[in-house]
Amino acid sequence: MKIAISGKGGVGKTTFAANLAHWLSQKGITVLAVDADPDASLGTILGLSEDVLSDLKPIVDMKELIEARMGGSGTYYPLNPQVDDILDDYSISMGSIRFFRMGNIKGGGTSCYCKENSFLQALVNSLILGEQDTVILDMGAGIEQLTRGTALGVDILVIVTEPSKVSVQTVKVIQKLALELGIPRVVVVGNKVRNSKDENFLRDLFPSEQLIGIIPYSDELLEMSINSGSDELPGGSLGVIINTIYQKIIDEGR
């Protein structure tokens, strides 16, 4: 199964993705957790040490590797470079979870990133269309890494949102992109919901078949995002809520 997770920065998306990876792992499922958001810290929240992560640069920043696979520094480059072995060489294993730091599509500025972007597109193709493990893509507020072809390989896109107008606007933008790309199933999860007013705000904006769960504001989850490193999932009523949401993602993505 291929699960893409997106949402505005700060909504708790990466903690949600990391906990989903641990939840699947505890069920005996081999997971490839891909950090495709340059502003995120999926590796840290999964429990990797800063020493390990400092030695693992995003693939998109590995200039020599990209040059070698894209035919040097010339103007012309292959549109389908060899990337099948990249995952084995540059991922880190944590039990049944493998972590891979991809980096993001680049744009703007004075430099042309056509070659790097083409390389990443080929890498995403390989991960989504060729990888046999369950893949979790932590994608940030955009899904530019996905083309129309690879998007059809994504089983479900989960958009995490806070109960705020700005966050909901980001959801709408992502939903529009997902529709254009043809992603078969797009769902929304409300997070950091403090009271019934917040909950009603989200329920008024998203139909019940689209809004698959509401996660209340939790100091426990906030602590996970700050002091990470444990694979223990929340317990009690919060654990029941999160477990239900994750099960819905698996059921609806099949």
Side-chain angles (χ1 to χ4, degrees):
M1 179 176 291
K2 310 302 188 295
I3 306 166
I5 299 177
S6 188
K8 178 181 172 295
V11 298
K13 165 188 63 67
T14 301
T15 302
F16 183 89
N19 281 338
L20 174 57
H22 283 304
W23 184 82
L24 289 166
S25 174
Q26 290 175 8
K27 292 184 175 297
I29 298 171
T30 302
V31 180
L32 172 63
V34 181
D35 193 343
D37 180 1
D39 298 322
S41 52
L42 180 60
T44 300
I45 298 177
L46 280 171
L48 290 168
S49 70
E50 290 304 316
D51 290 341
V52 170
L53 289 171
S54 64
D55 292 332
L56 186 68
K57 291 195 302 183
I59 289 293
V60 72
D61 291 335
M62 295 183 179
K63 183 176 177 61
E64 292 182 1
L65 172 65
I66 294 175
E67 293 286 355
R69 297 304 174 92
M70 300 298 285
S73 57
T75 304
Y76 301 100
Y77 51 87
L79 296 179
N80 295 297
Q82 175 64 34
V83 296
D84 293 345
D85 62 323
I86 297 292
L87 186 60
D88 290 334
D89 292 341
Y90 296 96
S91 63
I92 296 175
S93 293
M94 307 169 55
S96 57
I97 298 175
R98 285 185 300 160
F99 172 72
F100 184 69
R101 178 180 280 178
M102 190 171 73
N104 201 4
I105 294 290
K106 298 187 177 184
T110 57
S111 299
C112 175
Y113 290 104
C114 298
K115 186 177 296 186
E116 288 88 342
N117 289 350
S118 181
F119 180 81
L120 280 190
Q121 295 286 9
L123 195 54
V124 172
N125 282 343
S126 179
L127 291 174
I128 292 179
L129 303 180
E131 178 62 29
Q132 297 303 307
D133 293 341
T134 295
V135 177
I136 298 174
L137 287 161
D138 185 12
M139 303 196 73
I143 51 176
E144 291 84 357
Q145 293 99 331
L146 300 179
T147 63
R148 189 175 298 277
T150 56
L152 295 176
V154 173
D155 296 297
I156 185 166
L157 170 64
V158 182
I159 311 173
V160 181
T161 184
E162 291 177 330
S164 71
K165 291 182 179 180
V166 174
S167 185
V168 166
Q169 181 57 40
T170 299
V171 174
K172 300 296 185 182
V173 171
I174 298 170
Q175 286 178 321
K176 182 175 183 296
L177 290 171
L179 179 63
E180 292 171 353
L181 290 172
I183 295 176
R185 187 74 177 104
V186 181
V187 298
V188 177
V189 173
N191 192 29
K192 300 183 181 180
V193 174
R194 293 178 179 271
N195 48 48
S196 58
K197 181 180 178 181
D198 284 352
E199 181 173 346
N200 291 335
F201 173 79
L202 292 175
R203 294 198 183 280
D204 287 343
L205 290 170
F206 301 107
S208 58
E209 66 271 15
Q210 193 175 89
L211 184 65
I212 64 168
I214 297 284
I215 301 174
Y217 180 88
S218 164
D219 289 332
E220 184 179 359
L221 288 177
L222 180 61
E223 185 72 15
M224 282 183 176
S225 68
I226 297 173
N227 300 314
S228 51
S230 172
D231 60 358
E232 291 187 12
L233 298 173
S237 60
L238 179 61
V240 172
I241 290 170
I242 293 176
N243 182 82
T244 301
I245 291 172
Y246 288 160
Q247 190 61 56
K248 283 185 178 180
I249 291 172
I250 299 305
D251 291 343
E252 298 204 20
R254 285 174 176 157

